Amino acid sequence: MISEKKYYQLFESNFFLISGKDRVDFLQGLTSNDIKKVSENNIIYSSILSPQGKFFFDFFITNYEGSLLVECCKSIREEFIERLSIYKLQSDINLQHKNDLKSYLLSIDRLDEIKKMNINEIKCFNDPRFEKEVLKIYCDEASFLTLNENLNLSLLTEKEYQYLRIKNTIPNFEYDSDKAKSTLLELRFDDLNGIDWEKGCYMGQELTARTKYRGTVKKKIFGLKVEGEIIDRSVYYKDKNIGEGKSFFDDYGIAILRINEVNECITVNEKLSCNGAALTPFVPKWSV
């Protein structure tokens, strides 16, 4: 997915710490994945939902120096911390910014080289959303400079990364969701390894479980191959509005669309339309 000779710095990412003796139990009751699976050597992907089971935030979490370290989008960090504070009540937890860490993406093929360098300040993980595809690095800028002196990587430009992201239908849910309206299964969150179906109750769990076991999901995220110019985001099949495009870059897009109509479109080898542009929908490869 990412060239061995490239890296990308997630400039949109920020970090905060959750410390205190109740940190695991507190977060366990709020998130879609099993916080007890977190360790110093692994990272999990999870979400916070509304009490009605609608998507609010996605994030990565790992253990870090006796605390839980959360990576989330910079634009929602303060809102995220504020929402956690609402549910804190008498729990023994503390929430604080962690501003010295940066987040980087590399090719998984560089993992063995990085391990041999044995740079203590660098935390290195497989991206849990994709099986052995992408490597996530947490460290400060100085440590990454030391790392890159050995790897000799060049930075992906923002345009290069966005094209790579959208071509591979890698969702950024700040853009590729309907916040407080989308459900996890509409976002294929289960295929992104962000749901643990065996853990106990968490906020919004009832709707998430019900949509899975009753099979009531009517729309999902799809990738799009685009021919023509995108002028607006409404997507049609046989003159019927079936959803909305979320992210577009050059000849690819990401959209949330009605499943039945997309499946019919794929089966009969037809195209969707978007104000004159022709769209070929496909299921993300990580969801197949």
Side-chain angles (χ1 to χ4, degrees), residues 65-119:
E65 297 179 350
S67 299
L68 293 171
L69 177 69
V70 175
E71 178 193 6
C72 64
C73 188
K74 181 188 300 185
S75 64
I76 59 96
R77 183 174 69 169
E78 298 309 314
E79 183 184 357
F80 194 168
I81 291 174
E82 182 179 353
R83 185 163 293 275
L84 291 179
S85 298
I86 291 172
Y87 294 109
K88 177 181 176 181
L89 301 177
Q90 301 302 313
S91 298
D92 180 7
I93 65 162
N94 294 294
L95 306 166
Q96 63 184 92
H97 294 170
K98 180 68 175 171
N99 292 324
D100 58 323
L101 290 181
K102 310 298 179 184
S103 181
Y104 303 88
L105 300 179
L106 280 71
S107 167
I108 195 71
D109 296 327
R110 308 310 293 263
L111 177 59
D112 289 340
E113 295 172 79
I114 294 170
K115 286 182 176 179
K116 289 177 182 177
M117 294 178 204
N118 197 28
I119 304 174

Side-chain angles (χ1 to χ4, degrees), residues 222-227 251-253 257 262 265-266 269-273 277-283:
F222 289 91
L224 300 171
K225 185 72 171 68
V226 180
E227 301 171 48
D251 53 346
Y252 283 95
L257 305 172
V262 171
C265 177
I266 293 172
N269 198 27
E270 292 188 355
K271 295 184 186 295
L272 309 176
S273 64
L279 311 175
T280 303
F282 58 88
V283 176

Side-chain angles (χ1 to χ4, degrees), residues 196-246:
D196 189 301
W197 298 108
E198 303 301 322
K199 70 170 285 187
C201 292
Y202 57 90
M203 187 167 61
Q205 183 259 353
E206 183 179 353
L207 177 66
T208 303
R210 188 166 66 244
T211 54
K212 173 181 172 64
Y213 295 113
R214 292 185 180 179
T216 55
V217 181
K218 295 182 178 180
K219 55 185 178 179
K220 281 191 175 184
I221 273 191
F222 289 91
L224 300 171
K225 185 72 171 68
V226 180
E227 301 171 48
E229 183 181 359
I230 298 296
I231 299 173
D232 65 35
R233 295 178 179 270
S234 297
V235 177
Y236 293 85
Y237 180 60
K238 295 182 177 179
D239 297 324
K240 178 182 179 181
N241 188 324
I242 65 165
E244 182 180 56
K246 296 298 181 181

Side-chain angles (χ1 to χ4, degrees), residues 90-231:
Q90 301 302 313
S91 298
D92 180 7
I93 65 162
N94 294 294
L95 306 166
Q96 63 184 92
H97 294 170
K98 180 68 175 171
N99 292 324
D100 58 323
L101 290 181
K102 310 298 179 184
S103 181
Y104 303 88
L105 300 179
L106 280 71
S107 167
I108 195 71
D109 296 327
R110 308 310 293 263
L111 177 59
D112 289 340
E113 295 172 79
I114 294 170
K115 286 182 176 179
K116 289 177 182 177
M117 294 178 204
N118 197 28
I119 304 174
N120 291 331
E121 293 78 11
I122 289 177
K123 299 293 184 182
C124 186
F125 312 96
N126 287 329
D127 189 321
R129 298 172 298 173
F130 315 109
E131 184 65 26
K132 298 181 179 178
E133 288 264 1
V134 178
L135 197 61
K136 290 182 70 67
I137 300 286
Y138 293 166
C139 62
D140 59 28
E141 290 182 355
S143 297
F144 189 80
L145 181 60
T146 300
L147 176 75
N148 203 22
E149 286 175 353
N150 292 279
L151 296 180
N152 194 28
L153 305 172
S154 59
L155 176 67
L156 280 167
T157 67
E158 187 63 26
K159 287 184 176 180
E160 288 173 330
Y161 174 71
Q162 290 303 328
Y163 183 72
L164 185 69
R165 179 182 81 79
I166 295 171
K167 180 180 179 180
N168 288 280
T169 327
I170 299 173
N172 178 335
F173 288 127
E174 281 303 289
Y175 312 112
D176 301 323
S177 70
D178 296 317
K179 190 171 181 179
K181 295 180 181 179
S182 295
T183 67
L184 290 187
L185 295 188
E186 289 172 350
L187 302 179
R188 299 186 188 266
F189 219 81
D190 49 340
D191 294 326
L192 291 167
N193 300 313
I195 304 173
D196 189 301
W197 298 108
E198 303 301 322
K199 70 170 285 187
C201 292
Y202 57 90
M203 187 167 61
Q205 183 259 353
E206 183 179 353
L207 177 66
T208 303
R210 188 166 66 244
T211 54
K212 173 181 172 64
Y213 295 113
R214 292 185 180 179
T216 55
V217 181
K218 295 182 178 180
K219 55 185 178 179
K220 281 191 175 184
I221 273 191
F222 289 91
L224 300 171
K225 185 72 171 68
V226 180
E227 301 171 48
E229 183 181 359
I230 298 296
I231 299 173

